[in-house]
Amino acid sequence: MRDGRQLIGWGVAAGTYPVRRTAGQALVRILADGTVEVASAGIDMGQGTYTILAQTAAEALDVPVENVTVKLGDSRLPSAPVAGGSQLANLMTAAVHKAAHAAREELIGLALNHPDSPFHALQANTLSLANGRIAAPRDGGPGISIADLLRRIGRDQVEVLRDTFAENATNPEDKFRNFTTITTMRAPTDGDYSMHSWCAHFIEVRVDDDFGTVRVSRVVSALDSGRLYNPKLAESQWKGGIIMGIGQALLEEGMVDRRNARVINNNLGDYLIATNADIPDIQVISVGIPDHHASALGGKGVGELSIVGVAPAIANAVYHATGKRIRDLPITLEKVLQP
């Protein structure tokens, strides 16, 4: 296919990334003013951990998300493993979800059993917790706020610490080892299930017939990362990974002086990475459904998945456009022009 002096090619490739799993801890604290605090030593380096942990706690406790504060990145907080291997979102949402539900049950238990609670005389089996208020389902009344309940029973907070280990399945030595080495990271195969994220990239390139330069002109990618805790953040990470894949395919190359084994382009002036001018419109489509074998809330890896398969799809598109099969990266103009 041709558009003037540009050859047009289409390419497709598939990718997969394993679901890596390590245990993590989280603390959920319901404070006297009705706000909620989530704390963990896990980090947010821009991938949205603060946001999704606030959303997870708000959903489990049925309080407004703006009433949830998240504290991260301090080694004095409950232990969490490295933010790597596209695992942190799944393991930390699981820990927060578990802790938040335990805090919810403790709060309802206090409301039912504390002698100063307005619900104590109802002899109800359970209470509802919705939009930051506790009520008796059969009573039909508006109930009282969490802050009001804690004030009446003389509590300044309800605090629960939970981890993602199976209950009573580990001892303190195992937990210490989990948080001091990455060797406890579990493989993506567990019993009868193999757990992976999946993607397929459809890419269009334009190759200059005279100069051999390759430009990506369109990207459409379908990705399965299971449940998306925040679709906007996941879409941003997918697009970022695709941009990394474009850089891998067309620009990034470590040049080594073979006489002394030194990298000679070890700076951002000579090592080329993709910029805005190199990136076309990118469309990403989520085709995933929750996978509860992979994680407690059904999510799978997001961050690194979309890098996989981009370079092969571009190489296939270049082959479609030019008839030249290039098998080493990056795909540079001299490789396209050589006989």
Side-chain angles (χ1 to χ4, degrees):
M1 298 184 291
R2 180 184 289 272
D3 181 10
R5 299 300 299 169
Q6 292 183 325
L7 305 174
I8 300 174
W10 291 343
V12 61
T16 179
Y17 196 84
V19 175
R20 305 188 188 281
R21 294 162 296 149
T22 312
Q25 292 178 319
L27 182 143
V28 171
R29 187 181 288 124
I30 303 174
L31 301 176
D33 60 0
T35 62
V36 177
E37 192 174 273
V38 175
S40 177
I43 67 165
D44 188 333
M45 53 186 176
Q47 77 274 38
T49 308
Y50 282 106
T51 301
I52 62 173
L53 296 192
Q55 290 176 314
T56 301
E59 180 182 274
L61 294 169
D62 206 335
V63 299
V65 71
E66 56 267 22
N67 288 0
V68 181
T69 301
V70 179
K71 295 183 177 180
L72 297 174
D74 190 323
S75 59
R76 294 172 294 182
L77 299 176
S79 299
V82 64
S86 298
Q87 66 167 345
L88 194 68
N90 291 319
L91 71 93
M92 288 313 306
T93 53
V96 170
H97 183 264
K98 188 175 180 180
H101 273 280
R104 179 189 182 108
E105 292 305 310
E106 182 171 335
L107 186 67
I108 290 175
L110 287 169
L112 289 171
N113 300 312
H114 198 283
D116 295 330
S117 168
F119 303 102
H120 179 64
L122 295 181
Q123 297 183 339
N125 292 325
T126 188
L127 300 172
S128 66
L129 178 58
N131 200 29
R133 301 186 68 83
I134 301 175
R138 295 181 181 178
D139 187 25
I144 63 173
S145 68
I146 293 174
D148 194 13
L149 173 68
L150 292 178
R151 180 184 58 79
R152 294 192 188 196
I153 65 176
R155 292 283 295 265
D156 58 357
Q157 65 181 30
V158 172
E159 180 179 290
V160 174
L161 174 68
R162 290 291 186 272
D163 58 47
T164 56
F165 287 106
E167 294 299 324
N168 302 318
T170 55
N171 55 45
E173 290 76 17
D174 292 332
K175 291 187 177 183
F176 178 80
R177 180 169 174 265
N178 177 80
F179 297 119
T180 55
T181 174
I182 64 171
T183 60
T184 58
M185 184 182 289
R186 296 165 64 190
T189 301
D190 186 8
D192 295 331
Y193 299 94
S194 181
M195 292 156 285
H196 295 257
S197 299
W198 307 93
C199 63
H201 302 287
F202 304 85
I203 293 180
E204 177 184 272
V205 301
R206 290 174 175 257
V207 183
D208 189 284
D209 198 14
D210 298 310
F211 298 104
T213 52
V214 180
R215 303 299 298 267
V216 176
S217 54
R218 190 158 54 123
V219 178
V220 178
S221 298
L223 306 106
D224 171 14
S225 291
R227 175 186 176 182
L228 302 182
Y229 306 121
N230 186 303
K232 180 177 287 188
L233 294 178
E235 179 178 316
S236 178
Q237 288 198 47
W238 283 336
K239 289 182 177 180
I242 291 166
I243 291 169
M244 290 182 181
I246 293 173
Q248 176 190 24
L250 301 179
L251 299 167
E252 299 186 48
E253 181 178 17
M255 298 179 181
V256 178
D257 187 335
R258 295 185 178 276
R259 297 171 300 175
N260 52 28
R262 291 190 177 274
V263 179
I264 59 177
N265 65 332
N266 58 345
N267 59 83
L268 292 178
D270 298 322
Y271 185 89
L272 303 180
I273 60 174
T275 66
N276 287 349
D278 302 301
I279 304 303
D281 180 64
I282 298 173
Q283 180 183 356
V284 293
I285 304 166
S286 173
V287 297
I289 59 174
D291 184 347
H292 294 286
H293 298 294
S295 69
L297 300 186
K300 299 189 286 187
V302 172
E304 291 155 289
L305 167 67
S306 57
I307 306 173
V308 186
V310 174
I314 292 174
N316 287 339
V318 170
Y319 174 71
H320 184 224
T322 67
K324 293 186 178 179
R325 176 61 75 186
I326 299 172
R327 298 187 181 275
D328 61 293
L329 302 176
I331 301 171
T332 55
L333 61 90
E334 59 267 24
K335 295 175 184 177
V336 174
L337 292 176
Q338 68 185 5

